[in-house]
Amino acid sequence: MKRMNQYKNKNMKKKKKFFYICLLVLGLYVGWIFMNQQIELKKLYKQEEVLNQKIVAFKKEIARLEKEKSLGNDPKFIEKVAREKLKMVKSNEIIYVDMNKAK
């Protein structure tokens, strides 16, 4: 009878040891998954921040283009663009070039 109890006690200790090992492995696995999710979440937050900054920049660009579009029929704006970007001048206009500035 004592041998049977000793055998059962050893068997129970082995089962408890196995259970604790399984519990430890499961805990490590859950911890590993949690850490990976936190790392991925940080990456996504950074990506979201960059995309939000791009959205703000695009909204500013859209507003600028809308303003420019509304000015498209304004003769003063057309003249300004022609002079600055296309280097056009009015007839009978004299152009002075500063040679020191060109160098």
Side-chain angles (χ1 to χ4, degrees):
M1 197 64 135
K2 284 187 177 183
R3 279 192 159 183
M4 194 98 146
N5 284 339
Q6 287 176 345
Y7 178 73
K8 284 183 181 180
N9 284 340
K10 284 183 182 180
N11 200 13
M12 287 297 279
K13 286 181 181 179
K14 285 182 182 180
K15 285 182 180 180
K16 282 184 181 181
K17 191 176 183 180
F18 179 74
F19 174 75
Y20 288 130
I21 289 173
C22 288
L23 192 61
L24 177 67
V25 169
L26 181 64
L28 290 173
Y29 179 70
V30 169
W32 180 75
I33 289 174
F34 180 74
M35 291 299 291
N36 281 340
Q37 285 180 348
Q38 290 300 316
I39 291 168
E40 187 66 27
L41 194 59
K42 283 183 182 181
K43 286 180 188 177
L44 291 174
Y45 280 138
K46 286 180 184 179
Q47 198 174 33
E48 180 185 26
E49 186 178 324
V50 168
L51 292 174
N52 284 335
Q53 289 173 354
K54 285 183 180 181
I55 288 171
V56 169
F58 284 135
K59 285 182 179 179
K60 287 180 182 178
E61 180 70 12
I62 288 170
R64 185 189 64 79
L65 290 173
E66 288 290 332
K67 182 180 177 186
E68 195 173 300
K69 179 182 170 186
S70 67
L71 295 173
N73 293 329
D74 183 21
K76 290 181 183 178
F77 179 74
I78 294 171
E79 181 181 346
K80 179 184 172 191
V81 170
R83 286 178 180 274
E84 292 175 0
K85 293 187 179 178
L86 302 175
K87 307 291 185 205
M88 298 177 93
V89 293
K90 291 183 180 179
S91 60
N92 299 327
E93 209 172 38
I94 299 172
I95 300 174
Y96 294 97
V97 178
D98 186 5
M99 296 303 286
N100 292 330
K101 187 177 180 182
K103 291 180 183 178

